[in-house]
Structures are given as C-alpha cells and as structure tokens.
Amino acid sequence: MKINRVILREIRLPLVELFETSFGRTQERRVLLVEIHGGGTVGWGECVAGEGPFYSEETVDTAWLILTQLILPRIVQWSFESPTEFPELCRDIRGHRMAKGCLEAALWDLQAQDLHLPLWKLLGGTREKIACGVSIGIQTSPAALLEKIEQELQDGYQRIKIKVKPGWDVDIVRQVREHFPEIPLMVDANGAYSLEDADHLRQFDDFDLLMIEQPLSYDDLLDHSKLQAQIETAICLDESIRHARDAAHACEVQACKIMNIKMGRLGGPSEARRVHDLCQEQGIPVWCGGMLETGIGRAHNIALSTLENFSLPGDVSAGKRYYKRDTVVPPVEVTADGFIIPPQASGLGYEPDRPWIDELTVRSENFPDSRQSRGL
Ligand SMILES: [Mg+2]
C-alpha cells in the first residue's frame, strides 16, 4: 500500500480530574494525533509523549519536531506491505520511540481496515475480553484515596493500582489494606526510590501486593535485580524497558517478575509484540500500561492487550474516567464486571470523532502539500 497523505495535529483536552504521580500533576492533556491516508482509507495513531520530559525524555514538542522534520517527509509516497517494515525506515533516528510509535500504530490501523480485519486480529490477538484495572493518582488525603478506590470497585474494576512516592507510601498502603483486605492491589513508584531504600521498600511485603512497579531509577536494570533479590513482592518494570533487548537483559539479571508494556515507550506495536513474545518465552506475565491516552490511543491499547501473554489486568479503562467527551465514538466502555470487549469492526473499531477533533485542534501540518499551521 502507498501512503498519499499524512496529517499531524495537536489537540488539547482537559482531564475530568487532575492526575498526580511522583513526578507531577496533569490537568489538561496536549496530545498529538496522526492520520495516514492510503489505499482509500485512513489510519489513526496517538502519540503518548507528555507535556514535559518527566515520564521519559520525549515531550509533545520534541515529538512534533521529529515527526514534522524527519519522519513524516519520509513516509509520504512510501509503499509498504506490512507495518512491521516501518521501524527499518526510521532505524537511523535514535530514540524518539513515542514519535515513531504513533506512526507505526496508525499504519497498523490502516492495514487492518484495508484487509477488513479488526486490528486486534491482525496483531495476532486471541483474547475476546480484556481485564481492566485502574491507576489512581496521588490524592489529597488517605480518606480521599479510600473513597476513590471504593468508587472504582463499584464500577467493576478488577485491580487497583495506586501511585506512591516517599511520604505517601507504606502507611497509605497499610490503610488501604485495612479497608480492602482482599482486593488485587499494586503500587507504582515511577522511579522515586533508590537501592538504599531497600529496607523501607521491604515493608511492602506485608501487604500481599500483586507487584511494585518501577521502584528504582527509570533507566536502571541492575539495582532492580539487587532489590528483587531482597524483597518478596514481584517487581514490575515499566520505564526501564525501552525495547526487546532491555527486556532480554532484565530477564537475564532477574530484575523483575512482571513487565508493563506500553507501545509508545517501546516505539510501536512491532516492538511491543516482540517484548510480549520474549516475556512469554521467559514465563514473565505482562499487562498494558496507560499514558492518559484519549480514545484513539486507548483503542490501540485494547487491540494490543488481546495478545495471549497479557494475562494480568492492565491500566486500560473507560474513556469517561479521563475525558468528558473523548476523541472516539462510541467511547471506550467497561462492562459491569470489569472487562472491555474488543470490537469486531475493522481497524481500531472505534470511530475518531472528526468534528470534535477539529474543534480541539490547536495546530496541524499536512504532508506532502499545502503545509499549514493553525493557531498556537
Ligand atoms: Mg508505571
């Protein structure tokens, strides 16, 4: 298939409520969306880079720069048989995985539509329903957190993840466990601790957690392996895994027992699938992480989560938890018992809400012709 036209745009969408992690707060999302036209159809992708370089080095603005200056000019008039050829086209560009990943994701959507297949089937998925968990940001008080958990459980979510940081950790988890002795519970530190905190972190072993996610530095494997040898709770790696080679090294040094897969962090669906397969061979279960995606990114996560080794509930949840009006119709919904059913329609299976997306757009660029910038 040949690519005729690509449109990159930035939209701004307010979150229903502020989301706080160990590295800051988010109230409004700036999101890049890409649409690729080819073969009489349109594929969509969403870049998960944040406003600032806090989760990873990439930001909305670095992704915009790399996409408009380097990647999009290459992709126009490019012909491909499989989206798996895309990483080779950008191999000389180091890093910038979130920028690359949204393009590759859009190519997968495009091809799935061209073949009249649901994207999840094209990816090789087999799961007919996705188990959903939620990620709860740092709250203003323990009481507010308990109330929030109660509400999410009532909505059917199967696993609760709470963000922790020094000063909001062991005592908070103890209170949560006292109130909810049985629920599947985990914590995510987003790299807020160091190996010197091993004794402190060992206290989490008292709470029967599913896992502790990324306790140590965002770029570390070795200290995590030392920590895993000292604590019972399974370590799950998120930020530390940038590609399949990191995943292989993490397995080799036993730095974790579980992995979080985010296609943006890994540079696209191909690499995400590679990490999934490698983990499956190594007996490491995986789950799909979230990046406050709007509906388009969320739909891609649903498709990815149908792969067999996504055996733990992920952070893929209903769009309404994050946005009053999402970028797709119908919005992503969760069943009363906490599942998302992958759609049977071809491609993403959720329709981008174009009039709404147009309204939210603050700048856009068109390739190959009539480059235009709006607003900002
Ligand atoms: Mg995480």
Side-chain angles (χ1 to χ4, degrees), residues 194-227:
S194 69
L195 192 56
E196 283 88 75
D197 299 313
D199 288 339
H200 179 70
L201 294 170
R202 197 180 302 108
Q203 297 178 80
F204 283 119
D205 285 348
D206 294 340
F207 308 122
D208 188 26
L209 300 178
L210 291 170
M211 68 194 92
I212 175 168
E213 186 179 349
Q214 197 69 37
L216 309 182
S217 180
Y218 72 97
D219 54 0
D220 169 80
L221 292 178
L222 193 58
D223 281 354
H224 279 101
S225 91
K226 292 177 183 168
L227 179 65

Side-chain angles (χ1 to χ4, degrees), residues 107-122:
L107 292 172
W108 279 93
D109 177 28
L110 188 69
Q111 189 169 53
Q113 290 181 64
D114 190 54
L115 296 170
H116 304 288
L117 272 178
L119 173 59
W120 61 277
K121 288 195 176 161
L122 182 64

Side-chain angles (χ1 to χ4, degrees), residues 271-315:
E271 195 69 9
R273 224 167 40 164
R274 210 166 283 131
V275 172
H276 165 274
D277 294 351
L278 186 141
C279 286
Q280 192 163 23
E281 285 160 23
Q282 299 282 332
I284 304 262
V286 304
W287 54 277
C288 185
M291 294 289 288
L292 303 177
E293 287 92 347
T294 78
I296 291 167
R298 194 172 300 278
H300 277 287
N301 286 342
I302 292 166
L304 186 67
S305 302
T306 61
L307 296 176
E308 196 185 352
N309 194 34
F310 281 84
S311 55
L312 296 166
D315 281 345

